[in-house]
Amino acid sequence: MAGTVHTEAYKKMLNALVEARRDAGLSQAQLAQRIGKPASFVGKYELGERRVDVIELLVVLKAIDADSQKLIRKLQVNLPDTL
């Protein structure tokens, strides 16, 4: 797969999402139920097989009651200048 999916910055975002879901005490299936998607939806984006757009990111963070601003600030550390 070409593009920015496999950049280190994107991998860090996925890792942060997985960590936030686990911190919320939710399985992939439980999160999927909260956002109205099949469990495979969560599994595929967590593995990097599916991209997460901004709206999806915000919905997931809301569903796990995570602070979106805190996650964005965390990701901004060492953010590359180019894609």
Side-chain angles (χ1 to χ4, degrees):
M1 204 179 300
T4 60
V5 172
H6 293 104
T7 64
E8 285 305 311
Y10 193 80
K11 288 177 188 177
K12 286 179 183 179
M13 182 191 73
L14 294 181
N15 289 336
L17 282 176
V18 172
E19 181 181 346
R21 174 183 57 76
R22 289 180 179 161
D23 288 348
L26 296 173
S27 67
Q28 289 179 346
Q30 290 169 320
L31 173 56
Q33 185 176 15
R34 287 187 180 192
I35 63 174
K37 293 288 187 180
S40 61
F41 177 88
V42 176
K44 285 182 179 183
Y45 81 67
E46 285 189 359
L47 291 172
E49 295 174 6
R50 183 189 183 290
R51 283 193 67 80
V52 177
D53 71 27
V54 173
I55 300 302
E56 291 166 344
L57 174 65
L58 294 173
V59 169
V60 166
L61 292 173
K62 181 180 177 183
I64 61 178
D65 197 29
D67 184 342
S68 58
Q69 293 178 5
K70 182 178 177 182
L71 184 124
I72 297 297
R73 282 191 301 272
K74 180 179 177 179
L75 294 174
Q76 285 178 318
V77 175
N78 299 321
L79 193 64
D81 293 328
T82 62
L83 296 175

